[in-house]
Structure formats: C-alpha cells, structure tokens
C-alpha cells in the first residue's frame, strides 16, 4: 500500500498485517527502520518508524498478526495498545 505518516494513525483502530526490519536511509537515530504494513478503513498502507517500543510490541505479537491495535503517542514516544 501507499505510505502514510504515523502521526495520521494516532488514536485510530489499525489492523497490523506484517512488518519487516530494513536498513535505514536516514541514520540519524540508528541504522535500522521498521516497515509496518497496516490496513486503515479497508485500505492497505505502510508506515516507517525507528520506535523500539513499536518494534518490540510487533515482535511479541508476530505469530498473532493480523491484529487490531491503536497507536498512541506519549510525549515523544510511540506505543501500540
């Protein structure tokens, strides 16, 4: 799907379909980036993040995808609930 900003996903029910770790082109915050495939309102999209918290959550639920969750922002940190 087309790329979407993580900011546009905050507080919305999102179906997490799959994810992959890739080498980041922008290595300001690290060398790896997480590419996350989601479905929002029936449309497949992807977003990219270097959030270690989101990565840990998705790795924890990898065998249970697809899964619906909500992205939250706490100060400058992202999380999935």
């Amino acid at each position: 799907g087309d790329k979407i900003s993580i900011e546009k996903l905050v507080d919305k029910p999102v179906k997490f379909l799959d994810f992959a770790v890739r080498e980041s082109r922008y290595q300001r915050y690290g060398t790896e980036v997480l590419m996350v495939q989601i479905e929002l309102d029936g449309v497949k999209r992807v977003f990219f993040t270097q959030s270690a918290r989101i990565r840990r959550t998705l790795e924890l639920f990898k065998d249970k995808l697809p899964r619906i969750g909500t992205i939250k922002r706490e100060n400058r940190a992202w999380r999935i609930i």
Side-chain angles (χ1 to χ4, degrees), residues 8-54:
K8 293 183 179 181
L9 303 173
V10 174
D11 295 326
K12 295 180 181 175
V14 174
K15 184 186 281 186
F16 293 87
L17 304 173
D18 201 5
F19 66 95
V21 177
R22 303 276 168 93
E23 185 175 334
S24 177
R25 289 188 288 173
Y26 308 101
Q27 297 188 1
R28 181 175 176 191
Y29 300 108
T31 59
E32 296 180 330
V33 65
L34 189 66
M35 181 185 75
V36 184
Q37 183 181 31
I38 60 153
E39 187 175 303
L40 177 66
D41 299 325
V43 178
K44 289 184 180 178
R45 308 293 291 264
V46 295
F47 72 88
F48 297 86
T49 183
Q50 289 183 316
S51 168
R53 220 169 167 185
I54 287 182

